[in-house]
Amino acid sequence: MAEQQERQPISEEERANWVREQFQKANKFLAENGVLFDTVITEESRYLIPYLAVWKIKAMDGKLYWVISGDLPSDYTTAENAKDAKEVLRHFAMHWQLKAENLINAKNADESQKEFGALLINRAENLFAMQNTPELWA
């Protein structure tokens, strides 16, 4: 059986850099989708470094959104779709499974669409597992 590689603790500077990079990635993604950032609701946002960041964002128009970034495709949804960060992982897991099925089974789907569909399935399964891991939510 292969030995599991021990993870080295990350420094506060590395943590801060990762969080800043993920915030910039999430903010850029929102802007590309026509949502202009106003503030982050930090007490409801969560980070699992180096895998994912879940941000609760208030937009300039006053609407609230959940945004996910990290080692997965960035995505967002309105705050009405999930009450907290744990629930938003479940939301994206289900949403990505459906999206992946549609991509993979679409007529004329090219290889890149099928590969992206497979990536979505993998990340959706990981999100679902994280959402079902009580230690992450204690």
Side-chain angles (χ1 to χ4, degrees):
M1 202 163 155
E3 286 184 44
Q4 285 188 332
Q5 187 178 20
E6 285 189 42
R7 294 193 52 69
Q8 297 294 321
I10 65 170
S11 70
E12 281 301 311
E13 181 181 354
E14 290 170 318
R15 175 182 160 76
N17 286 338
W18 187 88
V19 170
R20 183 174 45 257
E21 287 170 13
Q22 294 313 309
F23 172 72
Q24 290 169 345
K25 185 177 175 182
N27 194 22
K28 180 179 180 219
F29 182 78
L30 283 175
E32 289 169 351
N33 286 279
V35 177
L36 299 178
F37 162 83
D38 181 32
T39 56
V40 175
I41 302 171
T42 54
E43 59 274 6
E44 295 187 52
S45 299
R46 298 289 178 266
Y47 321 111
L48 184 57
I49 299 169
Y51 305 109
L52 68 94
V54 178
W55 308 92
K56 190 165 190 184
I57 301 285
K58 181 179 177 187
M60 297 290 275
D61 63 5
K63 294 180 182 175
L64 296 174
Y65 296 92
W66 289 107
V67 187
I68 191 167
S69 62
D71 184 27
L72 41 73
S74 295
D75 207 345
Y76 77 107
T77 188
T78 60
E80 292 87 32
N81 288 327
K83 67 177 180 176
D84 58 25
K86 181 179 178 181
E87 199 172 285
V88 86
L89 293 186
R90 182 178 346 174
H91 167 82
F92 284 124
M94 291 188 295
H95 179 72
W96 290 355
Q97 288 281 2
L98 293 171
K99 192 177 210 175
E101 285 294 318
N102 290 336
L103 281 171
I104 292 168
N105 295 323
K107 288 184 180 180
N108 305 322
D110 65 25
E111 201 55 41
S112 66
Q113 289 171 307
K114 291 179 181 181
E115 286 175 12
F116 186 65
L119 173 74
L120 282 177
I121 289 170
N122 174 270
R123 295 310 193 264
E125 289 170 351
N126 291 341
L127 288 180
F128 190 75
M130 287 179 204
Q131 182 265 323
N132 279 317
T133 305
E135 301 81 43
L136 297 177
W137 307 102

